[in-house]
Amino acid sequence: MLENKDQERTSLEKLGEFGLIEHLTKDFKISRKSTIKGIGDDATVLDFKDKKTVISTDLLIEGVHFDLSYMPLKHLGYKAVMVNLSDIYAMNATATQITVSIAVSNRFPLEALEELYAGIATACKMYNVDLVGGDTTSSKTGLLISVTAIGEAEESSLAYRSGAKPNDLLVVTGDLGAAYMGLQVLEREKEVFKVNPNSQPDLEPYSYIVERQLKPEARKDIPDLLKKLKVHPTSMIDISDGLSSEILHLSKSSGLGIDLYEDKIPLDPTVISACEEFKMDSTLVALSGGEDYELLFTIDQKEFPKIKGNPNFTVVGHTTGENEGAFLISRNNTKIPLTAQGWNSFA
Ligand code: ADP
Ligand code: MG
């Protein structure tokens, strides 16, 4: 993408730091009542009245968290925002503002940063969050992008990792493993492309899983839906590193055991077929794959009727007693301890 000689390349030096910031942020509009002062002063001013403020930051580094050879910059901008909004929704809160900090080497032309900010702008619009600040600096190597997301919530609706109670139901949104299998497809195409640069990959059969990798969506709808259904999650976390590692976090923070049932794990049919093609175990992919950005939460059993039959939710297990450990109950009914393999397990 960056190599395309037909595209215009305006060097960053021409604009200077202030010109660059102005150019990248001028079309962003403020839409949240809680934003008193956005970009353009020494600091941002926000007002959440009697609500609690929720803040989360992530840092993404080229070559570590993303690979620009198959990740278009627009998608990267979008994804960097999603990763952070997901953390706000995982507190059962509403995301309201973001700040974006970037470090770029002069190998990037202005047009590349415009793409990055186009993705950020789309995310802000779709998720109704204001871009209210950031920082811009140079880097000697690749691209670094750090997003801070800010949100608000009533104190009573906040969901911490530590709040699960014994015998709560464990619930997951959406389906798992697709982002990881999408990555497998993209990695394979990258290798094919290295050997034959004229190859035209047919990604059509993989569109769902590739999209889940390149354009993940944070579950903005879930805190709203839970509120509407009058369900109060006792604990909640987002699934960024794989189901296994997130279950261990809930288990440890809440001081409780958790049993997860293998046959309940929600998988899209295209994930199952991709796993067959790549000779991977779909349960392991869901447990350790990561980057699904679904939400995992616990609820009191009494609340089950409120979520029963809702296509957004799957009950995958339950909490057990104090410090009983986290286990996978396999299809043939054996109890296997869960380990925090997370993302690195396939490395
Ligand atoms: P300072 O010298 O106080 O760090 P800057 O010149 O870095 O101020 O930033 C000027 C304004 O532009 C501030 O409101 C800052 O938050 C915002 N800003 C700087 N870089 C970015 C960026 N990459 N994206 C969005 N806003 C930015
Ligand atoms: Mg600055």
Side-chain angles (χ1 to χ4, degrees):
M1 282 139 274
L2 289 176
E3 275 38 79
N4 193 337
K5 298 279 187 301
D6 299 335
Q7 268 169 15
E8 229 178 296
R9 294 178 64 94
T10 309
S11 102
L12 294 179
E13 285 133 56
K14 257 200 207 160
L15 277 142
E17 186 192 325
F18 301 126
L20 176 62
I21 296 170
E22 156 75 13
H23 183 88
L24 292 176
T25 62
K26 64 182 187 316
D27 293 330
F28 282 81
K29 305 253 175 328
I30 295 300
S31 65
R32 287 280 180 182
K33 270 203 196 117
S34 50
T35 309
I36 308 298
K37 177 75 200 180
I39 291 169
D41 213 310
D42 296 310
T44 294
V45 182
L46 306 176
D47 181 0
F48 292 106
K49 304 271 191 290
D50 51 0
K51 299 251 182 91
K52 294 291 173 230
T53 309
V54 182
I55 300 181
S56 180
T57 298
D58 271 293
L59 174 61
L60 301 176
I61 294 177
E62 186 180 352
V64 179
H65 303 102
F66 56 90
D67 182 337
L68 289 177
S69 58
Y70 51 66
M71 180 67 135
L73 278 155
K74 195 170 172 177
H75 287 71
L76 175 64
Y78 192 84
K79 185 169 177 173
V81 178
M82 285 311 121
V83 173
N84 279 274
L85 297 188
S86 180
D87 284 318
I88 301 294
Y89 303 138
M91 299 302 292
N92 204 26
T94 305
T96 47
Q97 288 89 9
I98 57 164
T99 66
V100 174
S101 297
I102 52 172
V104 269
S105 69
N106 51 20
R107 130 175 110 85
F108 290 87
L110 174 66
E111 288 73 16
L113 294 185
E114 283 174 350
E115 282 293 297
L116 182 76
Y117 269 72
I120 294 170
T122 304
C124 285
K125 209 165 158 203
M126 305 281 291
Y127 284 76
N128 191 17
V129 296
D130 294 343
L131 175 69
V132 293
D135 200 24
T136 306
T137 186
S138 59
S139 138
K140 288 229 163 66
T141 51
L143 175 68
L144 274 83
I145 170 163
S146 176
V147 177
T148 296
I150 300 160
E152 59 175 31
E154 300 285 354
E155 186 168 14
S156 60
S157 58
L158 281 172
Y160 297 93
R161 294 178 180 185
S162 57
K165 300 280 174 282
N167 303 313
D168 276 352
L169 296 175
L170 181 71
V171 186
V172 67
T173 64
D175 56 74
L176 300 176
Y180 183 79
M181 291 319 293
L183 182 64
Q184 299 315 302
V185 170
L186 290 167
E187 294 272 11
R188 182 177 67 187
E189 293 313 322
K190 186 181 166 184
E191 291 311 311
V192 172
F193 184 81
K194 274 187 195 159
V195 179
N196 176 12
N198 295 319
S199 69
Q200 283 291 324
D202 177 18
L203 296 180
E204 221 309 290
Y206 308 104
S207 57
Y208 176 66
I209 58 178
V210 167
E211 184 143 325
R212 290 277 281 175
Q213 169 61 223
L214 292 181
K215 196 169 175 287
E217 302 290 352
R219 297 303 305 256
K220 175 182 193 283
D221 55 325
I222 298 298
D224 294 342
L225 181 58
L226 290 174
K227 197 171 175 185
K228 207 178 104 199
L229 297 172
K230 296 194 166 61
V231 172
H232 185 263
T234 51
S235 70
M236 180 139 73
I237 188 168
D238 74 323
I239 305 180
S240 51
D241 298 331
L243 185 59
S244 185
S245 137
E246 317 306 356
I247 285 178
L248 287 168
H249 283 306
L250 287 187
S251 166
K252 185 162 182 254
S253 298
S254 294
L256 293 173
I258 294 181
D259 284 352
L260 166 72
Y261 291 83
E262 182 179 19
D263 61 343
K264 303 289 188 221
I265 298 173
L267 299 169
D268 189 84
T270 53
V271 170
I272 297 172
S273 57
C275 283
E276 280 166 9
E277 191 184 332
F278 283 83
K279 300 198 168 35
M280 286 179 172
D281 181 78
S282 58
T283 300
L284 199 57
V285 166
L287 286 178
S288 310
E291 298 200 289
D292 290 313
Y293 302 108
E294 294 294 343
L295 296 172
L296 177 72
F297 59 94
T298 52
I299 57 169
D300 190 294
Q301 287 191 34
K302 284 203 293 285
E303 306 222 273
F304 177 65
K306 299 180 193 168
I307 63 153
K308 193 181 166 204
N310 191 309
N312 289 290
F313 304 121
T314 309
V315 177
V316 290
H318 57 83
T319 57
T320 54
E322 251 175 65
N323 301 314
E324 280 187 28
F327 295 92
L328 177 74
I329 314 296
S330 76
R331 281 196 187 86
N332 59 21
N333 221 15
T334 44
K335 214 170 159 173
I336 307 161
L338 287 174
T339 55
Q341 296 158 315
W343 179 247
N344 284 322
S345 58
F346 298 105

